[in-house]
Amino acid sequence: MPKSRDTFAALTAWRRRLVSRAVQGGWRWIQEAGAVSAEHPGRLRFGRIGTGTRLAFPQGTVFGEPWIELGEHCVIGEHVTLTAGMMPGLDLGPEPILRLGDGVVLGRGSHVIADTAVTIGSNTYCGPYVYITSTNHSYDDPQVPVGKQWPRIEPVTVGPGCWLGTGAVILPGARLGRNVVVAAGAVVRGEVPDHTVVAGAPARVVRSWDPERGWQPPLRTPAPVPIPEGITPEQLLALAELDPDAA
């Protein structure tokens, strides 16, 4: 009897592994087939989608595509929302509303809501669940439900080379300069100068770059060691596999 039970358990485990592999392989195929690119736009008709740009599947809410321009080699994660206009089907005029520069990365679950102009500069990286919006609810009239009052709308600009940490919120009217770091969970409004680090809610400058003195206050961690010129990917992999105890 124990032998039969062991055989049954082995068959069950084998079937489970087989089903697991089939499901995972099928999901990978669906992800590949459902991804959006310039060559395979599917139902989405963006105003522009650059070479090498890819929207992972499944996509989040996407509408107003004719007024959305995506640069080259952008990486848009799963469940990312990209919208132009307050609702689908609106005529937003001749100019694009939402622009992403080349090499922009939007992490999984991020939202970019552009009811008026939103521009994200080239090589800006956003962690997961970043929220960028040009619209905010107003509550001027205390007698009217907030959701029924006309919202406030202001353009948003995120400069090139920025890094927006997980869960950062960029509010209407925000203007981020070049190479700005936004800490995870920060809530940003107003103008942020070039080469600064902001944190908190509301966000404030906690570190900035001085051409003569460097970062102030000074960084607490050493600078990363750059990869030597001419090193190949194979050599990097071999280096990573070295046993540190043997060195």
Side-chain angles (χ1 to χ4, degrees), residues 81 83 109-113 126-137 156 164-172 186-188:
T81 290
T83 64
S110 293
H111 288 61
V112 184
I113 311 298
C126 300
Y129 308 108
V130 168
Y131 193 89
I132 301 172
T133 180
S134 65
T135 304
N136 207 350
H137 291 289
V156 172
L164 280 57
T166 301
V169 177
I170 311 301
L171 293 176
V187 179
V188 182

Side-chain angles (χ1 to χ4, degrees), residues 9-219:
L11 286 172
T12 300
W14 177 80
R15 290 193 189 99
R16 187 173 297 168
R17 285 195 298 270
L18 188 64
V19 170
S20 177
R21 288 174 184 170
V23 169
Q24 292 173 7
W27 179 244
R28 282 193 294 269
W29 183 89
I30 290 171
Q31 287 179 308
E32 284 296 320
V36 170
S37 64
E39 296 76 20
H40 304 285
R43 65 176 179 82
L44 300 176
R45 295 292 182 266
F46 290 102
R48 175 176 179 259
I49 179 167
T51 302
T53 288
R54 177 185 173 93
L55 286 77
F57 180 86
Q59 291 91 38
T61 301
V62 180
F63 63 75
E65 311 96 272
W67 292 273
I68 299 176
E69 292 190 349
L70 309 177
E72 298 183 356
H73 304 291
C74 295
V75 178
I76 314 297
E78 297 177 11
H79 302 290
V80 169
T81 290
L82 297 171
T83 64
M86 288 191 175
M87 61 187 69
L90 298 178
D91 185 348
L92 304 177
E95 297 297 323
I97 300 297
L98 172 56
R99 294 184 177 94
L100 269 61
D102 297 339
V104 170
V105 175
L106 296 177
R108 176 188 177 94
S110 293
H111 288 61
V112 184
I113 311 298
D115 294 336
T116 189
V118 173
T119 303
I120 302 177
S122 297
N123 300 311
T124 284
Y125 286 21
C126 300
Y129 308 108
V130 168
Y131 193 89
I132 301 172
T133 180
S134 65
T135 304
N136 207 350
H137 291 289
S138 61
Y139 50 89
D140 300 64
D141 191 335
Q143 306 305 321
V144 177
V146 172
K148 292 186 176 182
Q149 298 188 45
W150 193 253
R152 284 186 167 83
I153 299 174
E154 293 184 76
V156 172
T157 302
V158 178
C162 293
W163 164 243
L164 280 57
T166 301
V169 177
I170 311 301
L171 293 176
R175 299 177 303 282
L176 279 65
R178 176 184 296 272
N179 286 27
V180 169
V181 176
V182 178
V187 179
V188 182
R189 58 184 299 178
E191 188 161 356
V192 180
D194 295 348
H195 309 294
T196 54
V197 180
V198 296
R204 62 183 181 84
V205 175
V206 296
R207 180 170 278 117
S208 58
W209 173 260
D210 183 278
E212 296 181 357
R213 299 187 298 157
W215 286 105
Q216 297 298 318
L219 298 174

